[in-house]
Amino acid sequence: MCGIAGWIDLSNNLSNEKGILKEMTDRIALRGPDAEGFWLSDHAALGHRRLIVIDPEGGAQPMLYKQGDDYIALAYNGELYNYLELRNELIEKGHQFKTNSDTEVMLHAYLEWNEDFVKHLNGIYAFGIWDERSERLMLGRDHLGVKPLFFAKRGDKLIFGSEIKSLLAHPEVEAKLDKEGLSEVFGLGPMRTPGNAIFKDIQEVRAGHYVTFSKQGMNHNQYWELESKEHTDDVETTVQTIRELLEDTVNRQLIADKPLVSMLSGGLDSSGLTAIAGKEFKEEGKTLPTYSIDFVNSEEDFETDFLRRDLDEPWVKRVSEHVGTDHKSVVFPADKLVENLLVPMRARDLPGVGEIETSLYLLFKEMKQDATVALSGESADEVFSGYPWFHQEEFLNADIFPWLINIGNMSRILKDDIQEKLDLKAYQHQRFEEALEELPVLEGESEREAKQRQMSYMFITRFLPFMLDRKDRASMMTGFEVRVPFCDYRLVEYLWNIPFEMKNIDDIEKGILRRAFEGYLPDDVRNRRKSAYPSTKDDAYLAGLNKWMLEVLDNPQSPILSIANEDVLREIANGEHPVINGSKARGLLDYLLQINAWLDEYNIELQL
């Protein structure tokens, strides 16, 4: 994995602009701690930070190909999981390769198929290709948006980078927040609108899209989308197809020239992937290392709730012993979580969900000591329709994103004039309606089936991007690559049209996946009900947040005071608010402390 940054200027010579380009790549150095590279020409400046995973000697970037007097230059972040097949196909078409890297395969695929080359890729990637032959920049992103890519147009310039912080290093990109951006932050939370980068006049390349920029203008192109059609396979065929796709996907994603490990929570998703990977390791005479996360006093403090039914650790041990992994459980105290709360915000350049992101970052930091690459079960719930909301009428019939139904507390803390300017309910409804307009419907479905398809679309296109952002930034902040087999676009395409009742066969969420893992996992593990990512229950965590928020409120320079109602925040921080208390207070304080630091550290100018 890596980080890319640069810009195109159609009117000015960039040959001497290495200083700015290096500042842009330095901002994302943690994404690629192993090497740096630069290429500058008359109209292009491309920079790269490298995390070496495949072909240490041959994968240096930006990578160039010269045709006549013109260069085609590639800066790329990601992995191609089908690069060996593509390489052989391209060799048959007459292409010659100097390295064993997937980067060179991507470059030659572009040379062979031009813009259509993205339709030949299977992987996680974000890239920038400058083609001097046509003086055109092409920016592209993988099918599900696992790897990030942002851009900002400034006249004849297009500035781009893996993270927003790299764009902000360019002198023509400023940190500004307007009404729409603030509505995203307070109305949608971390689950922002695809393509919306929150900062004014900065955009995101959407998943499954590419952007071209030349003297002819800028064009946005969608090369992949979900297509609704009747699912004709019977249950047995469906189970076998899912199993084969997962086996193929995991095997592809085990390719690495650096140590690889697997995340293991004891839940269905990570356990199944660990079992497949563990089998491959065993056949090669190796033992798969696995990692899980836990918290100090978790057993004593644990309480069941809507999303967490039982403790993970006993199940982690069960799976590790069954598969035969070398397991390590990493345990964190509450004060460590408070101390590192702002790190994920700095990684994402945006406020996030707090403790859950913090613990993930700390886990990756520990894993990085032993490895460079990990497998993760992320996204299975989104693509297999595994959340409880899929069968609850309140959520199925809502005219709002299901995860926002109980977000009313956010508007309570805003000043009256800010509430009036933003009208968060209207903004939430607008964004929901826009998502509905994209939905590929299937004629002939029952009303309930149509609602479940709609719910699935919302989770895949609106909720999953947040989960992938969280994982990418938390891992890359530590120079660590996380692969997500459940995001293989072939699997997602297939699952999209499986009826919800078949996905939930045996009257249990993700029942079809449980059947696919038969033989890989013990029955008690396969039938364990969903339990969400673990969270600390230690009262010391909330106490730390309360103390911190009171310090913020006592500082008249705190930027949050220009937006939020100080009296309400004091009530919450003192544990005196009649509604926002306990776990509700934790989640809100997590978020607001990040917003305050974000506005301050990024020196954001509010334009309301």
Side-chain angles (χ1 to χ4, degrees):
M1 288 303 154
C2 310
I4 65 174
W7 79 100
I8 303 302
D9 189 332
L10 300 174
S11 302
N12 296 290
N13 191 306
L14 299 182
S15 301
N16 297 316
E17 299 293 348
K18 185 178 177 180
I20 295 174
L21 184 60
K22 180 167 171 49
E23 178 62 26
M24 293 175 72
T25 57
D26 283 351
R27 294 280 183 97
I28 53 172
L30 292 175
R31 293 188 72 89
D34 298 330
E36 66 179 1
F38 308 96
W39 182 75
L40 298 101
S41 67
D42 288 352
H43 299 298
L46 272 62
H48 189 262
R49 292 292 316 204
R50 188 179 183 202
L51 174 65
I52 296 174
V53 175
I54 293 176
D55 192 5
E57 300 301 321
Q61 295 188 49
M63 187 170 282
L64 307 176
Y65 183 88
K66 192 172 185 182
Q67 192 172 84
D69 293 330
D70 296 320
Y71 282 98
I72 298 91
L74 166 67
Y76 151 61
N77 161 214
E79 302 286 352
L80 292 187
Y81 299 132
N82 66 335
Y83 82 98
L84 294 176
E85 297 99 307
L86 270 180
R87 192 175 193 272
N88 290 333
E89 183 178 354
L90 288 164
I91 288 172
E92 289 179 4
K93 290 179 178 291
H95 292 258
Q96 296 180 345
F97 290 87
K98 300 176 181 178
T99 75
N100 295 314
S101 70
D102 58 342
T103 306
E104 190 178 13
V105 171
M106 176 175 276
L107 182 55
H108 279 262
Y110 171 79
L111 293 169
E112 178 66 31
W113 293 298
N114 207 334
E115 291 180 19
D116 282 344
F117 89 100
V118 289
K119 297 176 182 178
H120 295 258
L121 307 180
N122 180 339
I124 52 177
Y125 49 83
F127 63 82
I129 297 178
W130 171 246
D131 191 336
E132 283 190 336
R133 298 171 303 180
S134 55
E135 293 196 325
R136 182 190 64 180
L137 173 72
M138 181 179 181
L139 301 176
R141 202 159 166 229
D142 62 73
H143 302 74
L144 275 296
V146 178
K147 292 286 109 182
L149 187 56
F150 299 91
F151 65 93
K153 185 177 183 297
R154 298 291 185 270
D156 285 344
K157 301 180 184 69
L158 192 72
I159 305 156
F160 65 91
S162 293
E163 296 179 9
I164 295 170
K165 59 175 65 69
S166 62
L167 274 71
L168 293 174
H170 193 284
E172 293 195 36
V173 183
E174 298 175 342
K176 297 180 180 180
L177 189 66
D178 60 11
K179 178 181 172 181
E180 181 179 282
L182 206 59
S183 297
E184 288 276 327
V185 170
F186 285 100
L188 300 184
M191 295 74 172
R192 57 190 170 82
T193 303
N196 191 317
I198 308 299
F199 289 86
K200 185 181 179 184
D201 297 326
I202 298 179
Q203 294 174 265
E204 173 189 52
V205 178
R206 287 191 62 173
H209 285 66
Y210 66 89
V211 174
T212 59
F213 177 70
S214 67
K215 290 178 180 177
Q216 284 68 50
M218 177 182 287
N219 291 300
H220 298 255
N221 306 273
Q222 184 170 9
Y223 70 87
W224 181 80
E225 60 185 331
L226 294 167
E227 297 181 11
S228 295
K229 54 189 177 183
E230 185 182 358
H231 182 75
T232 57
D233 288 349
D234 60 19
V235 171
E236 184 178 341
T237 304
T238 300
V239 169
Q240 186 61 27
T241 301
I242 292 170
R243 185 184 181 97
E244 290 172 356
L245 280 169
L246 282 172
E247 289 172 340
D248 179 67
T249 299
V250 171
N251 289 340
R252 289 173 182 272
Q253 297 191 20
L254 291 178
I255 297 174
D257 292 331
K258 296 288 184 176
L260 180 145
V261 300
S262 184
M263 300 176 71
L264 176 61
S265 71
L268 176 70
D269 314 329
S270 66
S271 297
L273 297 184
T274 295
I276 296 173
K279 179 185 176 190
E280 291 299 316
F281 266 60
K282 191 172 294 184
E283 289 177 356
E284 295 177 12
K286 299 185 295 186
T287 299
L288 175 68
T290 52
Y291 284 78
S292 64
I293 190 168
D294 200 6
F295 302 99
V296 171
N297 298 326
S298 61
E299 192 169 350
E300 296 88 334
D301 296 335
F302 182 76
E303 299 173 2
T304 59
D305 59 28
F306 178 60
L307 291 176
R308 298 176 183 87
R309 298 170 181 269
D310 53 14
L311 285 165
D312 282 345
E313 283 305 302
W315 294 99
V316 168
K317 184 179 179 184
R318 174 88 168 101
V319 176
S320 176
E321 290 176 350
H322 174 79
V323 176
T325 74
D326 178 13
H327 187 75
K328 184 183 293 185
S329 179
V330 185
V331 183
F332 298 116
D335 59 348
K336 190 85 169 176
L337 297 172
V338 175
E339 178 186 332
N340 287 276
L341 175 63
L342 298 181
V343 177
M345 178 276 290
R346 293 165 184 148
R348 292 180 62 212
D349 304 311
L350 294 167
V353 291
E355 176 231 328
I356 294 176
E357 281 185 274
T358 308
S359 61
L360 195 62
Y361 157 74
L362 291 171
L363 175 62
F364 291 146
K365 192 175 180 182
E366 289 290 322
M367 294 168 75
K368 173 64 176 178
Q369 295 179 25
D370 300 322
T372 302
V373 185
L375 294 182
S376 167
E378 197 80 85
S379 83
D381 284 308
E382 287 77 21
V383 300
F384 278 93
S385 307
Y387 290 111
W389 299 304
F390 279 85
H391 54 78
Q392 295 176 337
E393 300 297 331
E394 175 191 6
F395 296 95
L396 281 175
N397 295 320
D399 60 351
I400 191 175
F401 298 115
W403 50 89
L404 294 183
I405 286 181
N406 298 317
I407 203 173
N409 291 332
M410 194 61 76
S411 58
R412 292 173 189 259
I413 59 94
L414 295 174
K415 288 183 174 180
D416 291 344
D417 62 323
I418 300 294
Q419 286 189 46
E420 190 174 331
K421 282 181 181 178
L422 299 186
D423 193 358
L424 296 182
K425 285 188 177 179
Y427 189 80
Q428 292 168 347
H429 184 70
Q430 172 197 339
R431 291 307 195 187
F432 182 78
E433 289 298 318
E434 289 171 358
L436 273 185
E437 290 175 8
E438 300 173 3
L439 175 68
V441 299
L442 180 62
E443 297 298 329
E445 286 189 316
S446 69
E447 183 178 351
R448 185 176 183 81
E449 288 170 335
K451 287 287 187 182
Q452 287 165 336
R453 183 179 292 273
Q454 173 183 307
M455 178 83 79
S456 181
Y457 189 78
M458 299 305 174
F459 271 99
I460 292 172
T461 65
R462 296 319 193 261
F463 190 82
L464 180 56
F466 151 70
M467 301 290 281
L468 296 175
D469 272 356
R470 179 185 76 159
K471 186 139 289 179
D472 173 81
R473 305 310 190 282
S475 60
M476 296 309 291
M477 191 76 169
T478 65
F480 189 68
E481 176 189 328
V482 178
R483 298 174 176 176
V484 279
F486 286 112
C487 279
D488 187 292
Y489 78 92
R490 301 168 302 161
L491 179 66
V492 177
E493 284 179 346
Y494 187 71
L495 294 172
W496 169 248
N497 287 304
I498 298 175
F500 179 76
E501 294 306 318
M502 187 183 288
K503 287 180 183 175
N504 262 35
I505 199 167
D506 303 323
D507 198 30
I508 188 170
E509 76 274 356
K510 296 183 289 190
I512 201 78
L513 178 59
R514 296 173 194 275
R515 288 197 182 189
F517 283 145
E518 189 171 356
Y520 275 109
L521 296 172
D523 287 346
D524 57 342
V525 177
R526 286 195 309 115
N527 293 318
R528 182 193 178 198
R529 300 305 293 251
K530 176 175 174 54
S531 193
Y533 182 87
S535 173
T536 182
K537 302 296 181 182
D538 194 333
D539 291 339
Y541 184 72
L542 178 56
L545 297 182
N546 286 336
K547 180 176 181 292
W548 190 349
M549 178 54 78
L550 289 172
E551 292 171 357
V552 167
L553 296 174
D554 288 339
N555 178 5
Q557 303 304 314
S558 296
I560 194 75
L561 296 178
S562 66
I563 300 170
N565 185 314
E566 181 180 344
D567 294 337
V568 174
L569 288 187
R570 279 195 186 277
E571 269 192 305
I572 297 169
N574 284 318
E576 298 169 352
H577 196 281
V579 176
I580 307 174
N581 49 56
S583 61
K584 292 179 181 177
R586 279 173 42 131
L588 191 62
L589 291 173
D590 259 345
Y591 195 55
L592 294 176
L593 286 168
Q594 290 179 75
I595 290 175
N596 183 71
W598 176 61
L599 293 170
D600 181 39
E601 293 183 14
Y602 284 71
N603 194 26
I604 295 173
E605 178 187 341
L606 292 177
Q607 296 184 336
L608 302 180

